[in-house]
Amino acid sequence: DTEVTQTPKHLVMGMTNKKSLKCEQHMGHRAMYWYKQKAKKPPELMFVYSYEKLSINESVPSRFSPECPNSSLLNLHLHALQPEDSALYLCASSQGDRGGPREQYFGPGTRLTVT
Amino acid sequence: LAKTTQPISMDSYEGQEVNITCSHNNIATNDYITWYQQFPSQGPRFIIQGYKTKVTNEVASLFIPADRKSSTLSLPRVSLSDTAVYYCLVGDISSGSARQLTFGSGTQLTVLP
């Protein structure tokens, strides 16, 4: 199974709402990532978890809160978002072992619209 | 931070070989070069990865000169289904640290019949 799944596929939320994005992989990968992608732009790295610990936060505003409950799951909690946060949110995973394969496997993304 | 530069777009015809170049002048010693393909409303899909010289797999080749300041993705005999955005990514994620992972701006490849 080389699949990363993300739910929901689409999400519309108001600026006062609280919602969560979910990501799951069953490849035994120990590194998981959140990216944000605006239309016609490359993905931008937001967070990296390595062995269930947050290892990188790319200066992301606190209205985005990541969580890694276990090695297979990654959540992104959203609160008080702005319309400019509307984007495709991508989850990815990689083996995460030093010297191991370095390719990332991406999920299909969640299309988020903030109204 | 390894800033990467790619052509914005390229056109090709079915059956031709396509070469897409990515410039990464300040690539770090531990950085690898990875290419991804992305279709609209989908996540990027891994194509190929290399550190130096040449790497070939069943779908593409990757050429990296000795100074590693650029790389070229080569797609042999493209088909209409290869129409997509191609990204080069420079960085090191070997230990999950994802040091300064930076996607290039992407190249929109359009394959014409």
Side-chain angles (χ1 to χ4, degrees), chain A residues 11-21 62-65 76-83 85 112-115:
Chain A
L11 178 62
V12 179
M13 61 184 291
M15 290 189 283
T16 58
N17 290 160
K18 287 185 180 180
K19 296 286 184 183
S20 297
L21 309 184
S62 59
R63 57 186 184 268
F64 296 91
S65 175
L76 186 63
H77 303 298
L78 314 173
H79 175 54
L81 295 192
Q82 304 297 311
D85 295 322
L112 174 67
T113 303
V114 182
T115 61

Side-chain angles (χ1 to χ4, degrees), chain A residues 46-58:
Chain A
M46 300 174 72
F47 302 105
V48 180
Y49 273 84
S50 177
Y51 288 81
E52 298 152 54
K53 288 185 170 45
L54 183 64
S55 61
I56 290 184
N57 175 342
E58 293 285 10

Side-chain angles (χ1 to χ4, degrees), chain A residues 96-112:
Chain A
D97 293 332
R98 185 176 296 279
R102 292 170 169 80
E103 59 264 35
Q104 297 177 73
Y105 291 82
F106 284 83
T110 293
R111 175 73 60 192
L112 174 67

